[in-house]
Amino acid sequence: MRFHPRFSFLKSDVLRGAIRFTLFGLVIVSATTAFATSAESPPLSAEQDNEPAAPLGISANPGAVNQITGTGQAGEWLGFKKDSGVFLGGVWAGDTNCLISGGEQPGAWSWNSLLIISLGLDSEKLIGWKGGKFGIEFLQFDGQPTNQQAGSVQGYNSLPGPPPLDRSELYQLWWRQELFDGKLIIRVGKMVPTADFNDVLRPVPTQDQSLFIPSVSGLMFTPVFVNPTLLGVMPGYYNSAYGVTTTFAPTNNFYFSYGVYDGNIGNGTQTGTRGPQFNGYYFNIWEAGAAWEIGSDNLPGSFGVGLWNQSGQLRAGDVTESGATGVYLFGSQRIWFRHPGKDNSGVTSFFEFGANNSETLPVNQYFGSGVTAFGLVPGRSQDSAGAGMAWSWLNGNIFHRSSELMFQVYYQAHVIAGTYFEPAISYIPTPGASPNLDAAWATTLRVTVLF
């Protein structure tokens, strides 16, 4: 075994029972699961061509996992070359959903539209200030209660979140500074912490975003973007928050990160549409990680652990508590390269686990896993297909169904340039909103355009 220079491992000491349970699950899962991260499919730098040499899949919701979103094509159209220090791009994602049967509104249709416009500035290229980057993003979302129609607590569609479902907001505004030859990285401002913490789709928080946003999976359901045990407290899409993220990377194989943010999501505030509110509600999170390669084909793998704490008075109905704490884990191991050393085609997968001690958050424990195939269809090197499972144990103070189980399969087809078309089928045998709901079947058709 040798360490891979661009993968990550997480470690923390918390909730011994949860860790024992998770390590047991890891032994089972790691024998059959693996995932491809951005390290497996190297991102294109500003100096490389637009068309990738290796097959790449993208996240089904790039705005949830990237601090800078898009390919920069919009800036190139306006005359900003790749090495100019100015990045202008973004993403538009739109989908239509049909709840075929079951859930709360069988037969219902819904539509969602997400637009994010990104501007990034490299201070070293523009004014000679080494290691500095500036980012700002605008978000426009117009959608419908897709997940509520299915009675899904976890969410089979990651685009719609909490209301309001029609919103315009300053999504991100931050300064990122590298120090000590990149070993210490500090980001301050309004940001999306799910891009740096508990990001099973892109587990290396130290690297800059890439043109084609390669992703371990194109699954659409919410649990791959935010661990369900963190729903209701962790800032992310589309409720970004003000705060500070610090990452220490002593070697290329390990990192340690800490973040503290406005935690008013815990009292129901939509932080994405408001300015900072530092009033006793804070969200703190710690994460550590490492990575490796094994076998003659250098199959990359990673493992990670994180610990978080939410302060302030939390409520759910008549139940109140002072703060909450939890732990999460995620891991990966590449299973197979079709053409070792030549391209990224092959099979990979991931797993996640989370647990908390909360009496007011919707989910107390979670386990999920998925598998992805890259570039296996002849002549379709940039396509991917995959399947995933998400299983959440629900808070009995809020729900009368003990758990919600969800499955999803998808095929992500590259159309042209930064455009992808993705159909998916979701099956929820136990919708968590009510024990009286029948199993839900739903279809989603999504178009994603990176520019």
Side-chain angles (χ1 to χ4, degrees):
M1 177 185 293
R2 65 186 179 90
F3 287 107
H4 189 280
R6 297 172 63 188
F7 277 71
S8 320
F9 174 87
L10 311 162
K11 187 176 181 181
S12 174
D13 47 331
V14 64
L15 299 180
R16 293 183 179 178
I19 293 178
R20 290 193 190 101
F21 175 84
T22 306
L23 292 177
F24 174 75
L26 175 63
V27 173
I28 299 173
V29 174
S30 62
T32 57
T33 64
F35 80 11
T37 68
S38 53
E40 288 186 275
S41 21
L44 302 179
S45 69
E47 291 75 31
Q48 290 177 295
D49 294 333
N50 282 338
E51 290 301 323
L56 300 173
I58 66 166
S59 163
N61 185 356
V65 295
N66 294 277
Q67 297 289 9
I68 287 290
T69 306
T71 64
Q73 185 62 58
E76 292 184 41
W77 288 335
L78 295 177
F80 295 105
K81 296 182 180 180
K82 296 177 183 179
D83 59 353
S84 67
V86 177
F87 175 97
L88 180 62
V91 62
W92 176 81
D95 65 37
T96 181
N97 307 269
C98 176
L99 183 59
I100 301 172
S101 64
E104 291 189 350
Q105 301 177 40
W109 288 77
S110 63
W111 292 266
N112 302 289
S113 172
L114 168 68
L115 173 66
I116 296 176
I117 299 176
S118 302
L119 172 65
L121 303 177
D122 187 317
S123 64
E124 185 170 2
K125 293 180 179 179
L126 291 172
I127 60 174
W129 182 289
K130 188 175 181 180
K133 287 184 171 61
F134 169 82
I136 183 171
E137 289 192 335
F138 168 81
L139 178 147
Q140 175 69 46
F141 179 78
D142 300 282
Q144 295 179 299
T146 303
N147 298 312
Q148 287 83 346
Q149 291 173 352
S152 175
V153 175
Q154 301 178 95
Y156 78 88
N157 187 320
S158 62
L159 287 190
L165 294 176
D166 297 288
R167 59 171 69 204
S168 302
E169 64 183 58
L170 174 64
Y171 189 41
Q172 298 201 70
L173 177 65
W174 48 258
W175 176 265
R176 179 184 187 272
Q177 183 66 52
E178 294 185 3
L179 302 170
F180 308 113
D181 294 325
K183 289 181 170 57
L184 180 64
I185 301 171
I186 300 173
R187 190 192 304 266
V188 59
K190 190 178 188 185
M191 65 193 85
V192 182
T194 52
D196 292 322
F197 294 93
N198 191 32
D199 186 355
V200 71
L201 302 182
R202 179 188 291 277
V204 184
T206 58
Q207 71 177 58
D208 292 330
Q209 307 309 310
S210 62
L211 284 175
F212 280 81
I213 314 176
S215 177
V216 56
S217 175
L219 284 166
M220 297 181 186
F221 60 42
T222 301
V224 295
F225 300 101
V226 55
N227 191 301
T229 58
L230 285 156
L231 288 173
V233 290
M234 186 172 186
Y237 170 85
Y238 36 61
N239 274 314
S240 53
Y242 289 86
V244 179
T245 302
T246 302
T247 296
F248 175 57
T251 73
N252 290 331
N253 305 101
F254 299 91
Y255 74 86
F256 305 89
S257 294
Y258 167 69
V260 57
Y261 310 96
D262 175 359
N264 278 274
I265 289 178
N267 66 16
T269 300
Q270 297 296 292
T271 57
T273 61
R274 299 191 180 188
Q277 302 176 71
F278 300 114
N279 54 6
Y281 285 86
Y282 298 99
F283 182 78
N284 290 268
I285 186 167
W286 299 261
E287 183 173 299
W292 56 85
E293 289 180 343
I294 61 174
S296 59
D297 291 338
N298 298 328
L299 300 171
S302 68
F303 177 67
V305 176
L307 168 69
W308 59 269
N309 174 262
Q310 168 71 47
S311 65
Q313 198 75 7
L314 308 180
R315 296 178 176 83
D318 297 329
V319 179
T320 62
E321 63 180 340
S322 180
T325 299
V327 62
Y328 61 84
L329 302 133
F330 60 83
S332 70
Q333 181 59 59
R334 180 68 131 143
I335 297 173
W336 175 60
F337 279 122
R338 187 182 186 185
H339 303 122
K342 295 182 179 179
D343 59 36
N344 192 46
S345 60
V347 178
T348 191
S349 106
F350 67 89
F351 86 95
E352 303 174 278
F353 173 80
N356 63 48
N357 64 354
S358 176
E359 297 181 357
T360 60
L361 296 182
V363 176
N364 292 130
Q365 291 185 348
Y366 165 75
F367 180 80
S369 184
V371 62
T372 308
F374 294 95
L376 298 188
V377 177
R380 304 293 305 173
S381 64
Q382 295 187 55
D383 288 7
S384 65
M389 178 273 290
W391 193 2
S392 289
W393 286 263
L394 306 178
N395 186 340
N397 294 325
I398 304 174
F399 302 102
H400 298 292
R401 179 163 260 169
S402 61
S403 66
E404 179 179 282
L405 180 62
M406 178 167 57
F407 301 94
Q408 188 174 87
V409 295
Y410 73 91
Y411 187 91
Q412 187 181 88
H414 177 244
V415 179
I416 187 174
T419 301
Y420 293 78
F421 173 70
E422 181 175 346
I425 299 176
S426 304
Y427 173 55
I428 311 171
T430 56
S434 171
N436 300 319
L437 297 179
D438 293 332
W441 285 91
T443 61
T444 302
L445 298 177
R446 179 172 297 174
V447 176
T448 302
V449 181
L450 299 164
F451 57 86

